Amino acid sequence: MKIVMRNNNYYAQFIRDFSMNQLLKNVQPEDIEDISERFIPLVTDGQDADTVKQIRLSGTEEPVFIISLTEHQSSVRFDIAIKLLQYMVYIWIDYCRRNDEKCDENKKNGIEDPRLVRSSAKGFKLPPILPIVYYDGEHTWTADRNFAERVFPRAGFEEYIPQFSYVLVDLNQYSREELQSNQNLMSLVMILDKIKTPEDALGIKQYAEPCLEAAEQSSLDILRQVTVLIMNKAGVDQSVIKKTVELYEGRPTQMFEVL
């Protein structure tokens, strides 16, 4: 899912349909900046399909940030809220540093901007961060979604524990028909992601066709790669993979070297 989540066309569709946030219902690819490389080396070894996005909402100059973690493990990770907190702290530290550098630059150039104050000033505010976990594992997600639940309870300490929860997008909770109703490529990727055995690939054409309307060529290139990778992993017959990939163009296409 890394190649999909890093692509802003797919990511915009994902956020609009699954973030559960009305302010993000109209997010477009051009509103999104992928800044994952600033933070991933600080938290993981780079193998995870984590993404950090900066979003510019219409009508406001202040950005919001979205952290998306993709969990493929067959077992549930119960430390996911801790990992999210790590990202959140690093994002805020980086935001403060960049803000203060801008303040210093303005002062050096004799520019006065009353809207821009140092992070130590009373009027400074941190940007909101939306944490999202995309889970496509086999088992039911049972991890606590509120960070405070991961802290040993002790009377008198409640108000000092960070309080935040994350949006869980559990693929197991969506049927193919529900995903298809969004009629976009991100939902088709999620339909493909439900393929775990060769039998799961049966009838994929009927779900794919409504999602392919007005798809851009660059997005289809990614879709081909994802289709091949997912179906190969599930042990789908090569002829079925080829027919599925051809569906995206409506004509025969060369198979990828990975085949």
Side-chain angles (χ1 to χ4, degrees), residues 61 102-103 106-107 110-118:
E61 294 184 5
K102 182 63 175 178
C103 287
N106 283 357
K107 183 178 180 179
I111 300 174
E112 294 187 7
D113 186 349
R115 299 169 300 177
L116 189 66
V117 297
R118 295 189 66 83

Side-chain angles (χ1 to χ4, degrees), residues 6-24:
R6 293 290 178 89
N7 180 275
N8 287 347
N9 289 320
Y10 283 92
Y11 198 79
Q13 295 171 11
F14 178 71
I15 291 303
R16 290 196 299 264
D17 293 336
F18 300 100
S19 69
M20 311 300 178
N21 190 307
Q22 288 298 318
L23 294 177
L24 300 172

Side-chain angles (χ1 to χ4, degrees), residues 210-223:
C211 298
L212 293 170
E213 297 294 330
E216 297 181 1
Q217 185 62 44
S218 59
S219 296
L220 288 174
D221 290 342
I222 292 175
L223 183 62

Side-chain angles (χ1 to χ4, degrees), residues 13-177:
Q13 295 171 11
F14 178 71
I15 291 303
R16 290 196 299 264
D17 293 336
F18 300 100
S19 69
M20 311 300 178
N21 190 307
Q22 288 298 318
L23 294 177
L24 300 172
K25 285 296 185 182
N26 296 313
V27 166
Q28 301 300 316
E30 56 268 24
D31 301 325
I32 304 172
E33 180 184 359
D34 191 306
I35 55 173
S36 305
E37 296 306 323
R38 291 187 204 167
F39 306 103
I40 288 178
L42 301 174
V43 180
T44 76
D45 58 6
Q47 298 300 312
D48 295 340
D50 300 351
T51 61
V52 179
K53 306 281 189 176
Q54 178 173 291
I55 313 292
R56 292 287 179 180
L57 297 176
S58 177
T60 179
E61 294 184 5
E62 291 75 23
V64 299
F65 294 84
I66 303 178
I67 308 165
S68 299
L69 307 187
T70 300
E71 289 300 311
H72 298 293
Q73 288 91 342
S74 57
S75 59
V76 175
R77 281 190 58 174
F78 289 90
D79 64 344
I80 203 72
I82 298 173
K83 185 178 182 182
L84 287 167
L85 181 60
Q86 285 182 281
Y87 272 115
M88 294 168 77
V89 171
Y90 282 127
I91 290 170
W92 281 324
I93 290 173
D94 182 76
Y95 184 84
C96 290
R97 179 181 62 79
R98 290 174 183 272
N99 173 84
D100 291 350
E101 287 177 351
K102 182 63 175 178
C103 287
D104 292 340
E105 182 181 348
N106 283 357
K107 183 178 180 179
K108 180 179 179 181
N109 295 327
I111 300 174
E112 294 187 7
D113 186 349
R115 299 169 300 177
L116 189 66
V117 297
R118 295 189 66 83
S119 59
S120 59
K122 180 179 180 180
F124 178 81
K125 300 291 185 183
L126 293 168
I129 301 174
L130 176 65
I132 299 178
V133 173
Y134 174 75
Y135 175 64
D136 62 0
E138 298 177 7
H139 301 291
T140 301
W141 185 267
T142 54
D144 293 313
R145 290 172 58 187
N146 191 304
F147 176 81
E149 298 297 326
R150 292 292 294 171
V151 181
F152 187 81
R154 182 70 70 184
F157 284 82
E158 295 88 352
E159 64 180 296
Y160 310 112
I161 300 172
Q163 298 279 347
F164 75 89
S165 58
Y166 54 86
V167 175
L168 175 64
V169 182
D170 186 347
L171 187 61
N172 297 308
Q173 301 302 313
Y174 294 91
S175 68
R176 290 183 177 188
E177 289 74 19

Side-chain angles (χ1 to χ4, degrees), residues 198-232:
E199 291 73 25
D200 292 338
L202 298 176
I204 193 67
K205 179 179 179 180
Q206 71 180 81
Y207 297 104
E209 289 180 335
C211 298
L212 293 170
E213 297 294 330
E216 297 181 1
Q217 185 62 44
S218 59
S219 296
L220 288 174
D221 290 342
I222 292 175
L223 183 62
R224 294 190 196 97
Q225 296 179 54
V226 171
T227 299
V228 171
L229 290 171
I230 289 176
M231 288 191 168
N232 268 327

Side-chain angles (χ1 to χ4, degrees), residues 162-203:
Q163 298 279 347
F164 75 89
S165 58
Y166 54 86
V167 175
L168 175 64
V169 182
D170 186 347
L171 187 61
N172 297 308
Q173 301 302 313
Y174 294 91
S175 68
R176 290 183 177 188
E177 289 74 19
E178 288 175 310
L179 294 171
Q180 184 194 46
S181 67
N182 293 320
Q183 296 191 2
N184 57 45
L185 293 186
M186 185 64 213
S187 289
L188 177 53
V189 168
M190 294 172 70
I191 290 172
L192 291 166
D193 198 16
K194 293 176 78 69
I195 298 175
K196 308 301 181 184
T197 67
E199 291 73 25
D200 292 338
L202 298 176

